[in-house]
Structures are given as C-alpha cells and as structure tokens.
Amino acid sequence: MLKDFLSGPAVGEGPPQSVWAKIIEKIVSKESHWARIGEEFFSPLNLATQFVTPSDIREFKTYGLILRQSFFWGFHAYPISPFFIALMLQDIDAAVSEDFIECVAPAAAARLRTWPPPEIINNNGTRTLQLAYGVDPMALLNSTLSNIQVSSRLMQLSLRLF
Amino acid sequence: MDSTQLAEITTALKYSYLFNAQFTSPSFVNSILDPNHPVHKALKMGFLTPLSSNSPNILIEVGHFLIDNKSLQA
C-alpha cells in the first residue's frame, strides 16, 4: 500500500525507487544526526547520551524502519553506509571484516590495507615504522585522528609515530 | 611498537574511517557501537519492528544471507 502511494499513477519499480532514494537523501541531509564518512557514505552521528531527546529517538527509530523497509522491497539504501547497515544486521566484526570492506568499498579497503607500514631499522638499531607525510598510511592517520578524542595512551602512540 | 599497539591503531583507523567514530577510551567504546546507547537502541528498534509475528527472524536471516554472500552492495 505504501509502495503504491510512492508510485502514484506511475507503473513499474522505477518511480517508487526514485521517491525512496529521495527520502533516504533527505534523511542523511540532517546534519545533526548524520555525518559523511569517507567519500560517499553517511553514518549516524555519535550523540552524547545526555543530549539525546525523545524527538531524536523517534527520528532514529524511523531511520531504522526505513532501512528495514528498503531491504524488504529490495531498494538500495545508498548513501547510508553499508558498514553501518552490516552493524545493524549482524555485528561489528561482520561490519569491519576485510572481505566485507573489500566488497562494498574497495577504495577504503585499499587505504586501510596500507596499515601497518613496513618497519625500518635506524642507525642506532631501533625499529620504527616507515611513515611519509602525504601518502597512506600517514595521510589516513591524519584524516582519521582528527575524529578521535584520543586517550592519553593513544596520544602517546600517535606522538611516537609522528 | 608491539603487535598489541599496532592492533589498537588498526582498530582505531577502521572504526574512525568506517564509522566516523569518536573514541573516548582505549577500549574504543562509542555511542554507535555501544548496544546500550539510546541512539543504537532506537535504530535497532526501528530496524527490527515486526511486520508480522514472525518477521524479525526473517529479517535476521536476510541480513545473514546478504553478509554471507557479500552482496550488500551500496
């Protein structure tokens, strides 16, 4: 019935899919709930628990329902992140498995594969990671560490890397 | 840098790059990945709202099929 409503007087799967795509597009445009990740996907923002309102909860429930409906109708949910969808469908291990990343985002997989970099042995015999500014994995670290509220330990690791 | 430290950074890179995650502790707990967070609960609740009495199981089966067959193409 909802699908018929989306189609209007039009015939075939194309019109409801187009309307659905617009709905998804509209959803991810809400910047207080969604963030762009990488080049093409959107993932829900991490909202601090104390700032989540009943209105947010209602909206997030709706996002979940719309995603669920996409699967039942066989409509794509692009540009909602496939990693986030896999997390919802299964678990974090499935969402970040190398095979899955390679399948849905080969460019991201290629970038992530550059870590860890090879080790080099310094003149004094110590080993350090081979990191060069402007190329992966250093560029990847730079782009992602800005998202990270680093713990003191991770900060220490980062400083050693830089 | 030992293998544990390398693994920690690997995890941080993956989570940050793939989820725009904000890490607040070395255990990488963050709201989206925390099943008890209200946003995560609300999304999951919407995702698993039953269409009929037996649909939640069907949805989970569909999810496993998609992931197992690596066909979850955006």
Side-chain angles (χ1 to χ4, degrees):
Chain A
M1 188 172 165
L2 175 60
K3 212 168 168 183
D4 292 339
F5 173 76
L6 293 174
S7 300
V11 178
E13 286 290 290
Q17 285 196 19
S18 299
V19 175
W20 202 248
K22 283 288 177 196
I23 291 172
I24 304 255
E25 205 177 288
K26 178 76 178 163
I27 285 174
V28 300
S29 69
K30 182 155 186 172
E31 292 179 354
S32 58
H33 283 175
W34 295 83
R36 182 184 286 276
I37 56 164
E39 299 292 315
E40 53 182 334
F41 299 126
F42 285 82
S43 198
L45 269 176
N46 303 323
L47 303 177
T49 303
Q50 64 269 33
F51 299 125
V52 178
T53 65
S55 167
D56 291 325
I57 295 296
R58 278 196 299 276
E59 287 182 72
F60 277 107
K61 273 186 197 169
T62 307
Y63 303 152
L65 194 146
I66 287 172
L67 269 174
R68 188 273 310 271
Q69 204 58 41
S70 304
F71 279 94
F72 275 110
W73 284 343
F75 291 179
H76 72 66
Y78 183 85
I80 293 177
S81 161
F83 310 110
F84 166 71
I85 293 172
L87 175 68
M88 286 288 108
L89 286 168
Q90 199 160 329
D91 55 30
I92 186 62
D93 291 334
V96 301
S97 75
E98 285 182 24
D99 286 349
F100 183 67
I101 301 171
E102 181 68 46
C103 176
V104 297
R111 292 199 72 185
L112 289 168
R113 265 199 307 273
T114 60
W115 180 268
E119 278 187 338
I120 50 174
I121 300 173
N122 299 316
N123 292 336
N124 60 6
T126 58
R127 291 167 178 269
T128 56
L129 297 174
Q130 193 170 14
L131 289 165
Y133 279 101
V135 294
D136 286 334
M138 193 62 189
L140 184 63
L141 282 167
N142 275 333
S143 66
T144 55
L145 283 175
S146 62
N147 290 333
I148 300 173
Q149 293 167 3
V150 286
S151 69
S152 56
R153 186 162 178 222
L154 191 57
M155 177 67 87
Q156 190 184 8
L157 292 177
S158 305
L159 290 174
R160 285 169 58 184
L161 283 171
F162 292 105
Chain B
M1 184 170 290
D2 62 29
S3 58
T4 306
Q5 292 168 328
L6 282 175
E8 276 190 359
I9 293 181
T10 303
T11 307
L13 280 175
K14 268 190 179 180
Y15 284 23
S16 182
Y17 190 70
L18 302 178
F19 289 98
N20 193 34
Q22 296 168 327
F23 304 115
T24 54
S25 76
S27 59
F28 307 128
V29 174
N30 66 75
S31 59
I32 287 301
L33 304 180
D34 175 4
N36 294 315
H37 190 280
V39 165
H40 190 111
K41 278 183 175 174
L43 285 161
K44 199 96 178 178
M45 203 180 294
F47 207 83
L48 296 178
T49 299
L51 286 176
S52 63
S53 58
N54 61 353
S55 63
N57 287 337
I58 293 171
L59 180 65
I60 290 164
E61 288 303 315
V62 169
H64 286 185
F65 171 82
L66 288 168
I67 290 169
D68 290 347
N69 287 278
K70 301 184 177 69
S71 58
L72 193 62
Q73 295 281 3

